[in-house]
């Protein structure tokens, strides 16, 4: 089955229509029961439908939460990267005659773009610069204070925490999708049988087929 939300909702609505009228219209219920598809089997479909609808709602909620987590992560990284970039440029200038210090701060490398390497690079930078009084003194000539560097480090830690949260939401969204898809497969299997049997049982009753969403009235 196609898993686009629009198609899923249309499918659920189609099944809901069929089940409701199979339960509420005596002529339809009788015709189906005549071929062995009694009220219990229709109710089994209703149960599968209820499960699929619940899991569809859960899946939508989980993906919404993942989207929100991703948005928060992207915004936090952009802000932290701007601060890190400024501190990094100033450190390069302040420590331009100290190659060992530049290596300790990974200033000889290009600034990383992707998240995990960026977290590692920024984490090393702030840890080492904050742990070295000489580096702090060198940066102080450009009015870069220890408090400002601590703020940069805090921003990087916040990005790491948001990344962990986003990964958690991603995992939950994937689990919700898997559960939803299994429920839709089960419902689809039931509905295929229901649909084909209804077409046989109501072959000469176009209006009742229309009531089930399985044909048009001539």
């Amino acid at each position: 089955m196609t898993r686009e939300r629009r198609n899923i909702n249309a499918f659920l609505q189609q099944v809901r229509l069929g089940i409701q009228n199979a339960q509420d219209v005596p002529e339809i219920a009788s015709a189906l029961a005549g071929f062995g598809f009694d009220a219990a089997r229709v109710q089994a479909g209703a149960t599968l439908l209820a499960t699929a609808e619940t899991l569809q709602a859960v899946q939508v909620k989980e993906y919404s939460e993942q989207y929100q987590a991703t948005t928060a992560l992207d915004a936090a990284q952009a802000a932290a990267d701007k601060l890190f970039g400024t501190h990094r440029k100033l450190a390069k200038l302040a420590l331009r005659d100290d190659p060992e210090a530049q290596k300790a701060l990974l200033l000889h490398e290009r600034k990383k773009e992707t998240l995990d390497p960026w977290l590692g690079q920024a984490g090393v930078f702030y840890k080492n610069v904050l742990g070295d009084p000489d580096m702090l003194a060198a940066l102080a000539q450009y009015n870069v204070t220890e408090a400002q560097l601590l703020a940069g480090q805090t921003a990087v830690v916040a990005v790491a925490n948001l990344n962990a949260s986003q990964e958690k939401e991603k995992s939950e969204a994937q689990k919700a999708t898997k559960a939803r898809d299994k429920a839709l497969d089960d419902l689809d299997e039931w509905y295929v049988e229901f649909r084909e049997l209804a077409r046989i049982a109501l072959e000469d009753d176009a209006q009742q087929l229309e009531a089930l969403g399985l044909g048009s009235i001539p």
Side-chain angles (χ1 to χ4, degrees):
M1 291 177 56
T2 301
R3 296 310 186 202
E4 293 181 9
R5 187 183 304 177
R6 178 178 57 188
N7 292 333
I8 290 172
N9 289 338
F11 170 69
L12 292 173
Q13 176 59 31
Q14 185 178 25
V15 175
R16 190 182 307 114
L17 174 66
I19 290 174
Q20 182 176 336
N21 285 329
Q23 291 176 325
D24 295 347
V25 180
E27 293 83 356
I28 295 175
S30 177
L32 290 171
F35 286 87
F37 213 94
D38 59 12
R41 295 181 70 180
V42 174
Q43 181 55 46
T47 300
L48 291 172
L49 173 63
T51 298
E53 288 179 328
T54 297
L55 292 177
Q56 167 69 352
V58 170
Q59 194 266 357
V60 170
K61 174 178 175 291
E62 293 295 346
Y63 265 91
S64 175
E65 290 176 355
Q66 181 193 334
Y67 175 78
Q68 292 172 9
T70 300
T71 300
L73 171 61
D74 290 346
Q77 187 185 1
D81 185 60
K82 182 175 175 56
L83 190 58
F84 171 50
T86 298
H87 288 161
R88 197 168 185 270
K89 289 174 185 176
L90 289 170
K92 279 186 176 183
L93 181 61
L95 301 168
R96 60 190 179 278
D97 296 324
D98 190 342
E100 291 304 316
Q102 291 203 32
K103 286 183 180 178
L105 300 183
L106 303 180
L107 299 178
H108 61 294
E109 299 179 356
R110 293 178 62 86
K111 187 159 71 70
K112 305 301 183 184
E113 301 294 333
T114 55
L115 182 58
D116 286 343
W118 180 89
L119 284 170
Q121 187 182 54
V124 167
F125 175 87
Y126 284 112
K127 181 177 185 298
N128 288 342
V129 74
L130 285 165
D132 192 307
D134 292 335
M135 293 184 192
L136 290 173
L139 280 164
Q141 65 181 304
Y142 299 118
N143 294 328
V144 180
T145 67
E146 183 176 3
Q148 290 170 343
L149 292 166
L150 282 168
Q153 184 181 53
T154 298
V156 171
V157 171
V159 171
N161 291 336
L162 286 169
N163 182 49
S165 177
Q166 194 261 2
E167 288 297 326
K168 174 178 172 289
E169 295 296 345
K170 183 191 297 185
S171 175
E172 290 177 355
Q174 290 171 345
K175 289 178 182 177
T177 299
K178 185 175 180 180
R180 188 277 314 271
D181 286 352
K182 174 62 167 59
L184 287 173
D185 287 341
D186 292 342
L187 180 61
D188 187 51
E189 183 177 354
W190 176 90
Y191 184 66
V192 167
E193 182 183 15
F194 169 82
R195 181 186 63 205
E196 296 310 312
L197 188 62
R199 283 175 173 156
I200 295 170
L202 299 165
E203 183 177 6
D204 297 325
D205 195 334
Q207 287 187 326
Q208 300 298 5
L209 284 174
E210 173 69 12
L212 294 176
L214 298 178
S216 57
I217 300 175

